[in-house]
Amino acid sequence: MTTQASHTKEHHGPGQRAWRSFLQSKGAMAALVFLAVMLVGSLLLPLLWPHHYATADLPGKFQSPSVEHPFGTDALGRDLFARMMYGAKISFSVGICATTVSLVIGVAYGLIAGWFGGRVDNFMMRAVDALASIPFMFLVLMLMTLSRDFIMLFVALGAVQWLTMARIVRGQTLSLKQREFVLAARTMGSSTFFILTRHILPNVMGPVIVCATLMVPAVMLEEAFLSFLGLGIEPPKCSWGTLADDARKVINPVQTYWWLVVFPAAALAVTLLGLNLIGDALRDALDPQQKHRGL
Amino acid sequence: MIPHFLKRAVSFVVTLFIVLLATFVIMNLAPGDNPFADERPPSPEVIEARNKKYHLDRPLLLNTRTLSADTFTDTQFGIYLNGLLHGDLGPSFQYMDRDVNDVLGPAIPVSLLLGAIGLTVALALGIPAGVIAAVRYNSWTDRAAITAAMGGVILPNFILGPLLVMVFAFGLGILPPAGWGRPVDMILPAFLTGLPAAAMIARLTRAGLIEELRKDYIRAARARGVPEYKVVLKHAMKNGILPVVSYLGPAAANVLTGTVVVETIFAIPGMGTHFVDGAIQRDYKVVLGAVLVYCVLLMTFNFLVDLAYRFLDPRVERT
C-alpha cells in the first residue's frame, strides 16, 4: 500500500488524500474489520449453527453460557447466540435501509431547495425548521402506534433523519451554484438536471457520506430504543433492542441472568462505537476543517 | 424581539395543527383501525353507544352532509380540536371510565420532576467534565473525559439501565430496582435520564472552551496577571458556554425521550409509562395527548432557552 502510494504521490487529488487519511486512522480500520467480520458472520454462521433463533426449548431455559450455547439461553430456552446473529441482521438492515430512505429524501430536497433558492427555498426550509422543532422521537412512537409494520419502521426512522441531510445539501448547493464551473456548464446549455446530477451532486458527496455514516448508528440506536419499548420489531423476530427488553423483563434479585443483559448490550455498544469511529474518521478525512474542533 | 417570538409562537401553533391533522388522517388510513380489543363481537347496542361516546359515528375531517359551520366542527377532528381548546384531551380507548386528562394529569408532575432532575444531572456532570478536559487539553484527564463522553453516546440508557439495576440493585443491593417517591428511588433514574445529554454537554463545553482559550483576549487577560481560574471560569466561560446554551433545547428533548425509557425500566408512574402503554394498546387518544403535552413542554422550554440566549449573547439581536 505504502509503496504504491509513494509512486503516485505527484497525482494526489483531494479524494485520494482523503482516502489515505481515512486508511491511516487505526481506530476506524479496526472498526471496519470488526464490523465486516460481524456482518459476514451474522449472515453466514446461521447456516452452520445448530440452533435456530426462534426454536424454543423450555426444559433448557436460562442456561448460563456453555460450549453448547456460548451466550446461554433465554426464558424460552432459545439460543442467545443465534438470536444475536439474527438481531445483527435486523439491526443492520434497519440502519442501512432507513439511512438510504433519508439519504434519498434529504439529498433531493436539499438540492431542490438550494438550487431554486428564493421563495421555494424559503418555504422548503421553513418546513424543515418547523419539523425539526417537534420532538421527533415522539412522532416516531406515534407512527409506530398506528401501524407496527416492518416497512413503517424504515419510513418512520428515515423520516426523522432526513432533515439534517437536507440542511447540509441545501447549504452546499447554495454556495456551489454561484461557482464558475456551474456558470460554464449553463453557458454550454446543460440542463438543470444535468448540472445538478453531474456538477453539484459530486461536490456535496463528501459531507453527505459523513452524515450518512453517522446516521447509521443513530438509526440503529433508535430502532433499539423502539424495540426496547416493545414498539419496534415484533416477535418472533428479534433485534438487539428486543433482546435487551427480554433481559430487562427477566432479571430479578434471586437469579441474575447476567448473560442476557451483558451480551446484547456489548454487541450494541461495540457496533455503535465502531460506526461512530468510522464516521469520525471519514469526517476528519473529507472535511479537514472540522478536524480540530474537538467534536 | 417581540415580532420574533410572535412569529415563533405562530409557527409552533401551525406545526402542531398540521401534526394533529396528519395523525388524524393516518389513523383513518391505518388498517384494522378497531382500537377496542374485543374478544367477541359486542352487541349492536354496545357498538352504537361506544361509537357515540368516541364520536366514531361522525366523519373524520369533513361532514359533507351539511354545508354549514358544522361541516368542520361536527367531525371527529373538529370535536377533538374543540376539546383541546378547552383543555380536554378526550376519552381514552383503553380505560372506559377514565379520560385522557385523568390518565395523564397525575403523571405530568412525575415526568416533569424526573426530567428536571435529569437535566440538572446532565449539566452538573457535563459542564465540569468539559471544563476540566479543556483546561487539561490533550492530557490523560482529557482523554479519559472524551472516552467517558463517548461511552455516554454508545451506551444508551436502555442498555445501561438494566446493567446498573443488575449491579446496584441486585448485586450490591444498595439502590432500589424500581419505584418512585423516596429520594433514594430517584438516584438511578436521574442519573440514567441525564447521562446521554451529559456526554454531549461535556463535548460541547470542551470544544467551546478550547476554542475560546486560544483567543487573544485570553492571552491578554493572562498577561495582566488574572488568576487562571478566573481566566477560565469568568472570561473564557462566558463565550465558551454559548454552544451549550443553544444545545439546551435538544438536550431537553433528549432528556424527555430518556424519561420514557427510564420510566419503563423503573416502573415510574409518569407520562412515559402511559405513553408506551397506550402505544402498545393502540390507545390513540392517550398517545396523541401525551405527544401534545410533550410538545408543549419542549416548546415552552425552547422558548425560554431562546430568551436566555438573547440575553447572554446580544449579538443575536442584530443579525
Side-chain angles (χ1 to χ4, degrees):
Chain A
M1 197 75 227
T2 38
T3 45
Q4 199 191 359
S6 60
H7 282 308
T8 55
K9 201 158 197 170
E10 54 272 29
H11 303 298
H12 276 176
Q16 255 175 314
R17 208 176 314 136
W19 183 236
R20 247 162 50 98
S21 151
F22 176 66
L23 289 179
Q24 271 162 9
S25 160
K26 285 191 201 104
M29 280 301 110
L32 207 58
V33 171
F34 175 80
L35 289 178
V37 168
M38 189 161 72
L39 206 56
V40 172
S42 69
L43 288 176
L44 296 182
L45 261 182
L47 303 175
L48 309 170
W49 197 246
H51 306 287
H52 185 251
Y53 77 93
T55 310
D57 170 30
L58 281 174
K61 66 179 180 182
F62 294 130
Q63 290 177 46
S64 52
S66 60
V67 181
E68 176 72 8
H69 301 286
F71 288 176
T73 60
D74 72 356
L76 296 175
R78 294 174 294 196
D79 181 58
L80 187 60
F81 187 64
R83 289 178 73 67
M84 280 182 54
M85 285 190 293
Y86 187 80
K89 240 189 310 195
I90 295 277
S91 295
F92 272 101
S93 55
V94 170
I96 290 165
C97 291
T99 301
T100 315
V101 169
S102 72
L103 195 76
V104 172
I105 302 177
V107 169
Y109 197 94
L111 276 181
I112 293 170
W115 180 259
F116 291 103
R119 217 178 264 173
V120 178
D121 178 40
N122 196 5
F123 176 76
M124 286 175 84
M125 293 328 278
R126 210 38 94 60
V128 167
D129 288 343
L131 283 175
S133 70
I134 312 170
F136 240 107
M137 233 27 239
F138 296 117
L139 286 186
V140 172
L141 277 172
M142 201 157 66
L143 282 177
M144 294 310 293
T145 316
L146 300 176
S147 159
R148 220 164 302 154
D149 204 41
F150 203 57
I151 304 294
M152 190 64 152
L153 193 63
F154 295 146
V155 174
L157 291 175
V160 185
Q161 295 286 343
W162 67 271
L163 301 170
T164 330
M165 192 69 92
R167 279 185 176 150
I168 292 172
V169 174
R170 177 249 177 193
Q172 296 274 327
T173 311
L174 267 185
S175 71
L176 281 171
K177 72 172 180 183
Q178 311 283 353
R179 300 269 290 272
E180 286 79 6
F181 66 88
V182 174
L183 186 67
R186 267 181 159 170
T187 324
M188 288 186 281
S190 311
S191 70
T192 302
F193 184 76
F194 183 84
I195 296 177
L196 279 179
T197 50
R198 294 296 171 82
H199 291 291
I200 307 279
L201 200 55
N203 278 298
V204 298
M205 267 342 259
V208 165
I209 290 172
V210 173
C211 184
T213 323
L214 290 171
M215 205 180 270
V216 175
V219 172
M220 288 174 76
L221 196 59
E222 278 157 7
E223 181 276 320
F225 167 82
L226 286 173
S227 296
F228 180 80
L229 293 177
L231 291 166
I233 303 295
E234 297 263 78
K237 289 201 193 85
C238 63
S239 78
W240 291 339
T242 60
L243 292 179
D245 186 35
D246 292 346
R248 170 186 71 93
K249 283 181 185 148
V250 295
I251 52 171
N252 64 66
V254 186
Q255 277 286 328
T256 45
Y257 305 114
W258 59 268
W259 58 94
L260 292 178
V261 178
V262 170
F263 290 120
L268 192 63
V270 173
T271 306
L272 291 178
L273 177 67
L275 286 168
N276 274 306
L277 285 177
I278 294 173
D280 287 348
L282 271 178
R283 182 182 53 200
D284 291 349
L286 291 169
D287 196 1
Q289 283 172 340
Q290 287 272 324
K291 188 168 185 175
H292 297 292
R293 294 187 53 193
L295 277 169
Chain B
M1 195 182 218
I2 291 172
H4 168 78
F5 285 120
L6 262 180
K7 221 186 268 174
R8 277 195 65 161
V10 169
S11 93
F12 169 40
V13 173
V14 170
T15 313
L16 219 52
F17 180 80
I18 292 172
V19 168
L20 257 178
L21 193 67
T23 316
F24 258 82
V25 173
I26 299 172
M27 259 186 218
N28 196 37
L29 297 178
D33 56 349
N34 178 14
F36 308 101
D38 294 323
E39 282 172 14
R40 282 173 297 154
S43 65
E45 293 83 7
V46 170
I47 293 180
E48 196 185 331
R50 202 162 65 178
N51 285 349
K52 213 177 181 73
K53 180 182 172 189
Y54 293 99
H55 309 295
L56 295 177
D57 49 350
R58 312 287 165 79
L60 195 75
L61 288 177
L62 285 175
N63 191 344
T64 43
R65 267 167 294 172
T66 54
L67 257 178
S68 62
D70 280 357
T71 312
F72 297 106
T73 52
D74 195 30
T75 60
Q76 290 180 39
F77 188 62
I79 292 169
Y80 188 82
L81 212 57
N82 187 35
L84 199 61
L85 292 174
H86 294 91
D88 179 9
L89 293 168
S92 151
F93 282 132
Q94 192 184 174
Y95 311 102
M96 292 289 170
D97 52 342
R98 284 160 81 197
D99 284 350
V100 177
N101 284 25
D102 302 332
V103 175
L104 292 182
I108 293 173
V110 175
S111 292
L112 218 52
L113 179 64
L114 179 58
I117 306 177
L119 198 58
T120 315
V121 168
L123 290 170
L125 285 179
I127 292 181
V131 171
I132 293 169
V135 172
R136 306 248 167 95
Y137 180 49
N138 248 343
S139 71
W140 278 109
T141 333
D142 182 27
R143 255 164 246 150
I146 298 176
T147 313
M150 191 52 145
V153 175
I154 62 165
L155 278 174
N157 39 26
F158 58 88
I159 290 292
L160 201 57
L163 281 173
L164 290 186
V165 167
M166 214 167 66
V167 174
F168 288 99
F170 297 154
L172 302 174
I174 47 177
L175 291 171
W180 190 249
R182 296 166 299 160
V184 70
D185 288 334
M186 298 180 190
I187 296 174
L188 274 182
F191 178 71
L192 281 170
T193 312
L195 199 66
M200 194 63 204
I201 287 172
R203 295 168 96 181
L204 285 172
T205 310
R206 176 178 172 274
L209 215 51
I210 287 173
E211 207 170 310
E212 282 309 309
L213 283 172
R214 284 193 191 134
K215 290 196 174 158
D216 287 343
Y217 74 93
I218 294 296
R219 204 184 320 160
R222 280 182 181 146
R224 284 206 304 279
V226 179
E228 185 64 22
Y229 76 92
K230 260 193 177 171
V231 170
V232 174
L233 293 181
K234 210 176 145 205
H235 297 245
M237 217 33 186
K238 260 187 198 165
N239 290 319
I241 204 74
L242 285 176
V244 176
V245 178
S246 49
Y247 176 68
L248 277 181
N254 188 323
V255 165
L256 219 49
T257 317
T259 60
V260 177
V261 171
V262 171
E263 282 171 16
T264 310
I265 297 176
F266 292 92
I268 297 168
M271 271 200 297
T273 312
H274 294 299
F275 183 41
V276 172
D277 204 38
I280 291 172
Q281 306 286 339
R282 309 208 168 208
D283 188 343
Y284 307 135
K285 300 281 179 175
V286 166
V287 171
L288 195 55
V291 169
L292 286 176
V293 175
Y294 280 126
C295 282
V296 170
L297 283 180
L298 271 182
M299 295 284 176
T300 317
F301 187 80
N302 282 340
F303 184 80
L304 294 176
V305 168
D306 200 21
L307 210 66
Y309 198 92
R310 274 150 193 279
F311 175 72
L312 291 172
D313 188 359
R315 286 173 301 181
V316 173
E317 190 64 33
R318 268 173 262 145
T319 49

